[in-house]
Amino acid sequence: GDSVTQMEGPVTLSEEAFLTINCTYTATGYPSLFWYVQYPGEGLQLLLKATKADDKGSNKGFEATYRKETTSFHLEKGSVQVSDSAVYFCALHNAGNMLTFGGGTRLMVKP
Amino acid sequence: DTEVTQTPKHLVMGMTNKKSLKCEQHMGHRAMYWYKQKAKKPPELMFVYSYEKLSINESVPSRFSPECPNSSLLNLHLHALQPEDSALYLCASSQDYAFNEKLFFGSGTQLSVL
């Protein structure tokens, strides 16, 4: 079946540091890929998505590129802020199925 | 209005209590979902309603009983829960079941079972 693997957290960074959160997947066919973010005390919000190979999703300074050759969808941001502290979930979707979430990666940004 | 509203935000109940969680959306979405999230884990799907009919039940124990009174409302009735059922319960909606990858989540109900 489909699966998503994320790097274990927490990831602790200083403000303005560069962020990478790794995500790799196993799936049949041509899934769509997503990053969801969960801020403390809230539900998940869709951060960005990519629907086909080589697509780049971007939002709020975050980016991720759908790499079919490496089955990866790593999340990056050039300069993190304290307000980016949250849990980030990588997810994939295959037609006819429900979303498959990765285990989540907690990001802590210190001033 | 792009919100999914859940009430209550926090709930403490005993194992013999009966309580209900409520979820509401006014985006015209026709698919609604219940997820259970334990601390430091991803959400786990419990139920899916599509056009007010139960489409998916992920083998959830009968002490959890979902209800969809109309296209805007989703309830989760709780009875005789166990301490291990303590978790964050998240409601979500999507435009249609076919678009179930783009979910709008509520803030959740943090449930503690004593």
Side-chain angles (χ1 to χ4, degrees):
Chain A
D2 298 342
S3 67
V4 178
T5 302
Q6 294 181 232
M7 59 190 295
E8 295 232 2
V11 173
T12 303
L13 296 173
S14 297
E15 209 164 21
E16 299 184 2
F18 185 86
L19 168 71
T20 301
I21 298 178
N22 290 339
C23 170
T24 57
Y25 68 90
T26 302
T28 56
Y30 304 94
S32 296
L33 301 174
F34 304 84
W35 278 99
Y36 276 81
V37 58
Q38 186 173 29
Y39 297 102
E42 298 185 12
L44 282 71
Q45 302 174 27
L46 179 62
L47 180 60
L48 54 84
K49 68 175 186 179
T51 57
K52 61 183 187 296
D54 300 325
D55 267 3
K56 177 186 282 188
S58 61
N59 186 26
K60 300 180 181 179
F62 291 90
E63 293 183 341
T65 301
Y66 188 165
R67 302 285 188 200
K68 193 163 179 64
E69 64 277 12
T70 55
T71 62
S72 65
F73 192 55
H74 304 323
L75 182 68
E76 296 181 337
K77 187 176 185 182
S79 176
V80 294
Q81 305 301 311
V82 172
S83 57
D84 293 326
S85 298
V87 180
Y88 292 81
F89 291 96
C90 186
L92 73 81
H93 180 261
N94 251 324
N97 296 332
M98 294 299 299
L99 266 182
T100 298
F101 288 100
T105 302
R106 180 175 299 276
L107 170 65
M108 299 171 58
V109 181
K110 298 184 175 180
Chain B
D1 184 358
T2 58
E3 280 193 356
V4 176
T5 303
Q6 289 188 244
T7 56
K9 289 196 180 301
H10 302 275
L11 179 62
V12 179
M13 60 186 291
M15 290 189 283
T16 59
N17 292 157
K18 287 185 180 181
K19 297 287 185 182
S20 296
L21 309 185
K22 297 185 184 300
C23 174
E24 190 168 4
Q25 57 87 14
H26 295 288
M27 295 179 278
H29 288 175
R30 303 316 299 263
M32 297 185 76
Y33 310 77
W34 281 115
Y35 281 85
K36 173 182 178 180
Q37 186 179 26
K38 298 287 261 184
K40 301 184 180 181
K41 296 290 186 184
E44 298 175 12
L45 183 65
M46 300 175 73
F47 302 104
V48 180
Y49 273 83
S50 178
Y51 288 85
E52 300 162 48
K53 293 193 184 325
L54 184 64
S55 296
I56 294 178
N57 175 343
E58 293 285 359
S59 302
V60 179
S62 59
R63 58 185 183 269
F64 295 91
S65 175
E67 178 196 20
C68 189
N70 60 55
S71 60
S72 298
L73 295 175
L74 185 67
N75 298 324
L76 185 63
H77 303 298
L78 314 173
H79 173 55
L81 295 192
Q82 304 297 309
E84 60 264 29
D85 296 322
S86 299
L88 180 68
Y89 288 84
L90 293 167
C91 174
S93 69
S94 65
Q95 180 183 339
D96 192 283
Y97 177 74
F99 297 95
N100 66 66
E101 76 278 18
K102 186 173 181 181
L103 299 174
F104 291 76
F105 282 87
S107 296
T109 295
Q110 187 67 54
L111 174 67
S112 297
V113 181
L114 304 179

